Amino acid sequence: MTARDGIAPPCAVLGSHVLADLAGIDAALLRDAARLESILTDAAQRAGARVIGAHFHHFGGEHGVTGVVLLAESHITIHTWPEHRFAAVDAFMCGAARAADAVDAIATALGAQAQVRQQVARGGAPVSAAALRPRPSA
């Protein structure tokens, strides 16, 4: 593949994206927005990321939490289902930050009894040469 063929060669990997399904977690913890924010923020810092901000929302009563930690290197998100003792975690980080380490720290802090993960290298896909050309200014 060459730019002459209209497709640029794959670029270097720009980041790592980890999706984790975490199960067997204490339901009360999965409803505690403040504690989840602390866990995800700590995990980001342990993984070498710089936290820019965070927003967490508890849906009330016995319901779960959705939250995001915004990073200079991208993000970590969580959505919880206390009634199933389950959390879905998404960590995407670029540069030297380590998404898998962040997910390890989160799973440990949550006391997850089981987990399934998918990890994807981001930025390695071929890009059309036309997409790489600067656009003319209007």
Side-chain angles (χ1 to χ4, degrees):
M1 247 181 318
T2 66
R4 191 184 77 184
D5 300 323
I7 302 290
C11 62
V13 172
L14 300 175
S16 177
H17 201 161
V18 179
L19 303 177
D21 291 346
L22 307 177
I25 303 165
D26 178 62
L29 178 55
L30 295 176
R31 288 188 289 272
D32 188 339
R35 182 75 181 114
L36 292 170
E37 181 174 347
S38 176
I39 289 169
L40 269 64
T41 299
D42 181 63
Q45 293 168 341
R46 287 174 182 252
R50 292 168 290 157
V51 175
I52 294 173
H55 185 79
F56 283 71
H57 175 78
H58 177 236
F59 290 98
E62 298 297 306
H63 298 293
V65 171
T66 191
V68 61
V69 176
L70 183 63
L71 308 172
E73 297 79 7
S74 198
H75 67 269
I76 301 175
T77 65
I78 190 167
H79 192 81
T80 71
W81 288 264
E83 67 275 23
H84 299 289
R85 300 180 57 210
F86 175 83
V89 174
D90 165 3
F92 178 32
M93 297 182 187
C94 60
R98 303 169 310 278
D101 289 356
V103 173
D104 288 342
I106 293 164
T108 298
L110 293 176
Q113 295 176 3
Q115 59 182 289
V116 175
R117 291 189 193 196
Q118 299 174 40
Q119 185 164 345
V120 177
R122 302 301 299 268
V127 177
S128 72
L132 297 175
R133 283 190 226 115
R135 292 184 179 172
S137 356

